[in-house]
Amino acid sequence: MADRWYELGTQALHAAMRDPHDLAGAAPHVQALFDECGQDGLVRAILGWSDTLINRSGIPTDGTPVRAAWMPYDPDDPNPQVKTADEIEPVARWAGRLLVARAALDQDAWNALMDSVPKDPAVMGDHVMELLGMIALNLRMIQDGTHPTAVSHG
């Protein structure tokens, strides 16, 4: 049962990758993950999802500075414009910064970002689902060979 978080986290990620723009299929897996494994299991899954994207995208983890860029996803736009952190929704900004903190192995920034999420279950859920969607979309684009240089879909 100790690896249940891994099983449910993997199911959530795979469901999210099937349709990164509609996470309804992933939501029951995330809820089961939280219900069965608690916050510790959810954090382990978040680390696993983040590490999967970081590893598959080639984001450096050797101390090279990393920064997030947000590019709206629109398959019909051949020239999407990268947005700054100030131009996106706060929850997407949080998710991108969490990924940067993980890639930089910046435990203090990671902890501060995790602690910054209000403990309200709905707000926590919004943050987790934004992060999962961001990771799933990027992984899907890497898989399909259409990944831009931006890390986020915000």
Side-chain angles (χ1 to χ4, degrees), residues 7-153:
E7 179 183 345
L8 293 169
T10 300
Q11 290 171 359
L13 181 58
H14 288 176
M17 286 179 64
R18 279 192 287 279
D19 189 352
H21 302 290
D22 180 3
L23 298 176
H29 299 290
V30 174
Q31 186 64 55
L33 173 62
F34 186 74
D35 291 346
E36 293 184 34
C37 304
Q39 188 170 345
D40 288 344
L42 184 59
V43 170
R44 286 176 183 233
I46 288 171
L47 287 166
W49 300 335
S50 300
D51 289 351
T52 298
L53 175 60
I54 290 163
N55 290 328
R56 290 199 182 155
S57 66
I59 295 171
T61 57
D62 61 359
T64 302
V66 176
R67 71 180 180 90
W70 290 266
M71 186 178 300
Y73 176 76
D74 181 353
D76 298 324
D77 183 356
N79 299 307
Q81 299 299 308
V82 172
K83 294 188 176 202
T84 67
D86 294 333
E87 297 173 308
I88 62 164
E89 294 295 320
V91 69
R93 181 173 41 246
W94 172 87
R97 287 180 172 163
L98 191 71
L99 287 168
V100 168
R102 182 64 179 166
L105 302 177
D106 186 340
Q107 190 67 47
D108 291 338
W110 171 274
N111 290 341
L113 286 159
M114 292 297 282
D115 290 343
S116 74
V117 179
K119 302 309 176 215
D120 176 282
V123 176
M124 286 175 50
D126 290 345
H127 282 69
V128 170
M129 295 308 286
E130 176 67 26
L131 178 66
L132 179 58
M134 183 180 289
I135 290 170
L137 178 60
N138 279 276
L139 287 171
R140 178 74 180 267
M141 294 172 77
I142 290 167
Q143 178 181 307
D144 296 345
T146 59
H147 190 262
T149 56
V151 173
S152 168
H153 75 288

